[in-house]
Amino acid sequence: MTRLTGLFLDTGKLEEIEKYHRLGIIRGVTTNPTILLRDGIGGGWEGMQTHCREMARLVDPLPVSFEVTAGDPAEMREQARLMAGWGKNAVVKIPIHGPNGGTEYLKLAHELESKGNIRVNVTAMLSAQQCLLAAMAGATYVSIFGGRVNNMGYDSRTEIRRTRSLLDAFGNGAKIIAGSTREALNVIEWFEAGADIVTVVPSLVETILVHPYSKETVRQFLEDGTRLQKK
């Protein structure tokens, strides 16, 4: 059974999306308010909307996850409805719960998926049990922040394996996104642990791609090729 989806690029910069999409190595894009703010996106809601529509257009039909910026469920619902219209490949990110906990965000995720025909990526999760609940609520994607799990002193691979095992046991089709990637090693380890998707920032793609011994080998081939042509 084919399950793995691949890498999602974690960025808000159009030039980065275009660059890595042209390489054929990404299978989607994710972003969030922190990334958009860091990448200098301005102009309020209208500015964000214009920018995000262009993000969706650049990689269509690959999915792009946009995160709601409000904390009130009614406002989140309205933002989700608008974001879903930014592209037919748009996915809306809803945090698992609010800053004080609660069930309203999960209720909203269920409503958007089951009644609104909106694809939801439930985000900001740090455990297998959170991912299971989000998947049961109908989320298309469940995002576990592997790097933050590791930062807390736990092994993110264990939580990803548990999530994979639970979703398979329940026959649930939600895709597991492992994010908050800190090291190149995380990518392969998280795929091996059962993630369908791993998110990567552009600088990490460069780290994964370039190997010092590959550089040395290619340099040797080029030097010998030049000598061969002169022989």
Side-chain angles (χ1 to χ4, degrees):
M1 180 179 70
T2 300
R3 195 194 67 224
L4 292 176
T5 297
L7 298 174
F8 278 12
L9 194 67
D10 210 9
T11 185
K13 291 183 178 177
L14 299 178
E15 62 273 22
E16 290 179 341
I17 294 171
E18 200 163 20
K19 174 182 176 179
Y20 293 101
H21 184 40
R22 282 179 175 170
L23 296 182
I25 61 172
I26 64 171
R27 297 295 178 268
V29 176
T30 63
T31 192
N32 60 46
T34 303
I35 291 173
L36 293 177
L37 191 64
R38 183 196 64 201
D39 290 344
I41 310 308
W45 178 266
E46 291 302 319
M48 185 174 73
Q49 175 179 237
T50 300
H51 185 83
C52 291
R53 281 182 179 276
E54 183 61 12
M55 289 175 63
R57 189 195 66 78
L58 280 175
V59 298
D60 181 49
L62 300 180
V64 184
S65 289
F66 305 113
E67 185 164 342
V68 294
T69 62
D72 174 69
E75 195 175 350
M76 292 166 69
R77 182 182 297 104
E78 178 60 14
Q79 286 188 353
R81 189 184 63 77
L82 294 171
M83 287 176 169
W86 290 352
K88 59 181 183 295
N89 52 339
V91 177
V92 178
K93 293 171 82 172
I94 302 289
I96 182 66
H97 58 62
N100 297 313
T103 59
E104 288 301 306
Y105 288 13
L106 194 58
K107 178 183 173 185
L108 176 60
H110 175 64
E111 177 191 317
L112 293 172
E113 282 276 5
S114 62
K115 299 178 181 176
N117 194 30
I118 293 173
R119 302 290 72 80
V120 173
N121 174 353
V122 176
T123 189
M125 295 188 286
L126 293 122
S127 68
Q129 57 262 35
Q130 286 182 310
C131 292
L132 176 63
L133 290 179
M136 290 298 192
T140 298
Y141 300 96
V142 294
S143 289
I144 183 166
F145 284 12
R148 297 193 184 198
V149 173
N150 289 346
N151 284 349
M152 294 168 66
Y154 303 100
D155 189 339
S156 57
R157 295 170 298 176
T158 301
E159 293 305 309
I160 294 168
R161 284 193 196 99
R162 286 175 172 165
T163 304
R164 175 82 279 144
S165 175
L166 287 165
L167 296 193
D168 288 349
F170 282 102
N172 191 293
K175 286 189 172 291
I176 302 169
I177 299 178
S180 187
T181 314
R182 302 284 201 264
E183 304 170 331
L185 180 62
N186 294 152
V187 176
I188 300 302
E189 285 187 339
W190 291 349
F191 277 130
E192 290 176 339
D196 298 289
I197 296 149
V198 175
T199 68
V200 289
V201 296
S203 60
L204 197 58
V205 176
E206 301 289 340
T207 300
I208 295 168
L209 173 66
V210 179
H211 193 289
Y213 288 145
S214 295
K215 292 167 71 174
E216 182 181 308
T217 301
V218 172
R219 192 176 296 118
Q220 182 68 51
F221 285 160
L222 290 173
E223 289 171 359
D224 289 345
T226 300
R227 284 199 290 269
L228 186 63
Q229 290 185 45
K230 293 177 179 176
K231 194 171 181 180

